[in-house]
Amino acid sequence: SAVISQKPSRDICQRGTSLTIQCQVDSQVTMMFWYRQQPGQSLTLIATANQGSEATYESGFVIDKFPISRPNLTFSTLTVSNMSPEDSSIYLCSVEGSYEQYFGPGTRLTVT
Amino acid sequence: AQTVTQSQPEMSVQEAETVTLSCTYDTSENNYYLFWYKQPPSRQMILVIRQEAYKQQNATENRFSVNFQKAAKSFSLKISDSQLGDTAMYFCAFRGSNYKLTFGKGTLLTVNP
């Protein structure tokens, strides 16, 4: 299994600002994913981040709004840009392990 | 595109009893994985059980077991001897050949003392 940490664990931000979320894994992994979980909802995949290539975004998510970096096999960042209250969610990163995905503890973002 | 449907938004069960959570899915793929994840109030996603589609035998993990019906595209979770710590949101998820997870809307399970 993989141990994943995220920073920050929570934040309250003003609209129009940006927040960068960090995801650190204790082992090298090829595939990392970023999910959004809106209040009371299920998880929705934002993008897949593979080291050495551009992130692949799902329908409804764009790079200008959610830029992602993947500088090495243990680390990734997701930035939520020009935030609005609708961006208030839990953001989770995950990694592909042996036929399953392991999740980080999530970042709870509140935009006021 | 794959879809995952959980038709029970909320369920409750008495401690020590058995409860079954339902999940159906739709896919054109033949080889895939199905999962049940648990999300307690701490919001950490915890893998409960995994089923490979090519295996006919239903997966079992201690008090948790599944009823996997491939032809019917059904994947239910049975929790036996329910414990207070089982109280959580339960998500059914599908993983196909692209490794992406598609989640159902979730079932909030409450175990009552």
Side-chain angles (χ1 to χ4, degrees):
Chain A
S1 65
V3 178
I4 305 170
S5 59
Q6 286 185 231
K7 290 181 180 180
S9 61
R10 59 177 61 219
D11 207 341
I12 302 173
C13 301
Q14 292 191 345
R15 67 176 67 203
T17 63
S18 298
L19 176 71
T20 296
I21 302 168
Q22 300 178 6
C23 179
Q24 179 76 53
V25 190
D26 69 341
S27 58
Q28 294 185 336
V29 293
T30 301
M31 303 186 73
M32 294 183 74
F33 305 88
W34 286 98
Y35 291 86
R36 181 177 72 181
Q37 186 176 24
Q38 294 177 301
Q41 303 297 313
S42 184
L43 284 75
T44 301
L45 181 64
I46 297 172
T48 303
N50 292 336
Q51 197 269 337
S53 62
E54 295 292 322
T56 305
Y57 290 82
E58 298 300 304
S59 176
F61 298 96
V62 296
I63 188 172
D64 290 346
K65 175 68 175 177
F66 297 101
I68 289 172
S69 76
R70 183 78 200 276
N72 57 53
L73 290 173
T74 63
F75 187 78
S76 178
T77 66
L78 169 76
T79 299
V80 186
S81 303
N82 188 25
M83 288 183 285
S84 67
E86 292 70 34
D87 294 319
S88 297
S89 297
I90 297 172
Y91 293 86
L92 301 101
C93 67
S94 73
V95 302
E96 179 69 20
S98 300
Y99 309 109
E100 61 191 74
Q101 282 188 21
Y102 304 101
F103 284 83
T107 295
R108 183 182 294 274
L109 171 62
T110 302
V111 184
T112 61
Chain B
Q2 289 79 22
T3 60
V4 178
T5 302
Q6 292 179 249
S7 59
Q8 305 153 315
E10 295 186 35
M11 292 192 73
S12 63
V13 64
Q14 292 299 121
E15 195 174 6
E17 294 188 346
T18 295
V19 63
T20 298
L21 308 183
S22 301
C23 174
T24 58
Y25 60 95
D26 190 25
T27 183
S28 58
E29 297 191 39
N30 192 48
N31 296 316
Y32 49 87
Y33 290 82
L34 295 163
F35 305 89
W36 280 98
Y37 280 90
K38 167 185 175 180
Q39 188 179 41
S42 68
R43 75 174 180 262
Q44 177 72 54
M45 292 290 285
I46 301 167
L47 179 65
V48 175
I49 200 163
R50 177 186 76 212
Q51 175 77 44
E52 294 90 336
Y54 65 85
K55 289 187 176 180
Q56 293 185 343
Q57 186 173 7
N58 290 324
T60 299
E61 288 287 343
N62 300 315
R63 299 183 295 107
F64 300 88
S65 62
V66 299
N67 182 4
F68 173 50
Q69 301 291 326
K70 189 173 184 179
K73 294 188 171 70
S74 172
F75 181 61
S76 60
L77 174 70
K78 185 171 81 171
I79 305 174
S80 303
D81 186 24
S82 297
Q83 302 175 358
L84 296 178
D86 295 333
T87 292
M89 182 72 82
Y90 287 81
F91 292 101
C92 178
F94 172 99
R95 196 200 84 170
S97 58
N98 61 11
Y99 299 96
K100 300 176 185 178
L101 285 179
T102 301
F103 287 88
K105 291 185 181 297
T107 297
L108 178 61
L109 176 66
T110 302
V111 180
N112 299 309

